[in-house]
Amino acid sequence: MQFKLGIVMDPIESIKTYKDSSFAMLLAAQKRGWPLYYMQQSDIYMVGATAMAHAQRLEVTDNPENWYSTQAIEDIELASLNAILMRKDPPFDIEYITSTYILEMAEREGSLIVNKPASLRDANEKMFITHFPQCCTPMMVTSNSSLVRQFISEQKDVIVKPLDGMGGESIFRLTPNDPNISVILETITQHGQKTIMAQRFIPEITAGDKRILLINGEPVPYALARIPAQGETRGNIAAGGSGVGIELTERDHWICDQVGPSLREKGIFFAGIDVIGDYLTEINITSPTCIRELDKQFNLDIAGQLMDCIEQQAKH
């Protein structure tokens, strides 16, 4: 019987194929002869206790001008799929959470969900690093601006960011004498109504914000160091950074050794951890990227490795 793979993602017509990791996964699955089923978040639903979807059979081609074709929409039970990739980008809002509940029902009925729905809810991409303080710089999580000010006064140079952003969105660097400190904290905390994270600034960002990909807790041996643009603090590619492939350091491997077992335990089969200098700064599990860039620079097949892992885990 053929292995059937579903994917929940953003509109496929809008992706940039040369850097889209979901697209790399689809190519790798199709290479194995697996039928592909494409869904957006609004396409999955429940009837009673049965997880369903308006799904389309999908074919992909590594052609930047014409990269996909779909067939007519069909109603399917999600449990008819051997595995489902949850690759919807944030925001991590109530719609996203609801989707994890639906996917969890499919999981109970036998589908392997990558990544595990409960872990998508529990392991917030910013907060999850607090499980590994030995890997991190001093940090604080609060909605209280006075506490953040005190933290900035102690640490001297600090990054503040929301807990639900991506791509470098709403990240600010603050020092005690910054004239805009009040308005920035008011804005980012929404006058004390929204919890944020503050972390001591890591000067090694000039050498890149390293994205390290892990498959079932094991790291790919190369990272993509995202170098900030001139005059920019953020290394995110979405914020204008440039990606340079580098080999993992001994410290990088140590951090992966700290994080990897927890990823396996939580059913997080594909993760992208961010490391600046010697420090872990984020653990991305919703829709980590950088597969295509690393594949191209080092002649790897990261998505192929992931598909091997998925096939093996789905048989358990």
Side-chain angles (χ1 to χ4, degrees):
M1 189 171 69
Q2 280 187 307
F3 191 99
K4 296 180 180 179
L5 182 77
I7 187 167
V8 180
M9 62 182 289
D10 291 298
I12 194 168
E13 65 269 18
S14 302
I15 67 174
K16 296 179 173 64
T17 59
Y18 67 92
K19 66 173 186 176
D20 193 281
S21 291
S22 298
F23 187 68
M25 295 176 192
L26 291 169
L27 288 170
Q30 183 174 271
K31 186 177 180 180
R32 285 160 170 72
W34 297 355
L36 306 177
Y37 291 82
Y38 163 72
M39 297 157 277
Q40 294 185 49
Q41 188 169 250
S42 60
D43 291 324
I44 63 175
Y45 64 99
M46 290 186 65
V47 176
T50 303
M52 303 285 296
H54 295 311
Q56 292 175 279
R57 281 290 303 273
L58 172 71
E59 291 187 7
V60 288
T61 307
D62 200 2
N63 177 349
E65 304 300 323
N66 182 25
W67 60 89
Y68 76 99
S69 63
T70 54
Q71 297 180 14
I73 293 173
E74 52 183 299
D75 284 325
I76 65 168
E77 292 188 15
L78 287 177
S80 68
L81 304 173
N82 299 85
I84 302 170
L85 303 171
M86 178 48 166
R87 292 285 301 175
K88 172 72 177 67
D89 283 342
F92 190 89
D93 54 16
I94 189 61
E95 288 301 315
Y96 190 100
I97 292 170
T98 301
S99 295
T100 67
Y101 292 140
I102 297 171
L103 291 169
E104 196 165 43
M105 293 304 292
E107 180 182 52
R108 290 178 184 175
E109 295 165 4
S111 286
L112 177 73
I113 315 299
V114 180
N115 288 314
K116 187 175 180 66
S119 295
L120 288 173
R121 294 193 299 271
D122 292 346
N124 175 273
E125 299 190 327
K126 308 297 190 292
M127 288 289 293
F128 194 21
I129 67 168
T130 62
H131 290 233
F132 311 100
Q134 70 274 23
C135 303
C136 304
T137 61
M139 56 187 165
M140 169 177 279
V141 178
T142 181
S143 60
N144 187 312
S145 292
S146 296
L147 289 176
V148 180
R149 280 179 173 274
Q150 182 180 336
F151 183 77
I152 294 169
S153 178
E154 293 168 354
Q155 301 299 329
K156 307 304 182 187
D157 199 348
V158 168
I159 292 291
V160 295
K161 57 188 176 183
L163 298 179
D164 58 354
M166 64 171 288
E169 181 182 277
S170 299
I171 292 178
F172 296 93
R173 179 181 176 185
L174 293 174
T175 55
N177 298 320
D178 192 311
N180 295 307
I181 191 168
S182 293
V183 68
I184 287 173
L185 293 181
E186 287 170 6
T187 300
I188 195 171
T189 68
Q190 296 180 6
H191 294 274
Q193 299 303 305
K194 186 172 183 179
T195 302
I196 66 166
M197 174 172 279
Q199 296 167 292
R200 187 173 70 194
F201 176 71
I202 306 168
E204 288 84 359
I205 183 63
T206 55
D209 180 354
K210 291 179 283 190
R211 166 59 56 84
I212 302 171
L213 299 178
L214 295 96
I215 297 172
N216 202 23
E218 295 296 327
V220 173
Y222 302 94
L224 193 72
R226 297 161 296 172
I227 313 294
Q230 187 70 29
E232 176 61 76
T233 298
R234 302 165 299 172
N236 308 75
I237 302 297
S242 57
V244 178
I246 58 172
E247 193 169 355
L248 298 193
T249 65
E250 184 177 340
R251 172 73 176 188
D252 294 336
H253 280 288
W254 178 81
I255 291 173
C256 292
D257 288 343
Q258 304 301 302
V259 176
S262 183
L263 296 177
R264 283 191 291 274
E265 180 185 341
K266 290 179 176 295
I268 299 171
F269 297 107
F270 187 64
I273 69 171
D274 292 342
V275 174
I276 301 174
D278 288 335
Y279 300 102
L280 175 69
T281 61
E282 288 189 13
I283 302 174
N284 299 275
I285 67 169
T286 53
S287 54
T289 61
C290 298
I291 286 179
R292 301 219 82 184
E293 295 92 335
L294 287 170
D295 277 357
K296 183 177 181 181
Q297 292 191 41
F298 298 105
N299 194 30
L300 304 174
D301 182 17
I302 297 168
Q305 290 178 252
L306 177 61
M307 293 307 123
D308 289 343
C309 172
I310 288 172
E311 186 173 26
Q312 181 180 15
Q313 293 294 327
K315 291 177 179 177
H316 288 173

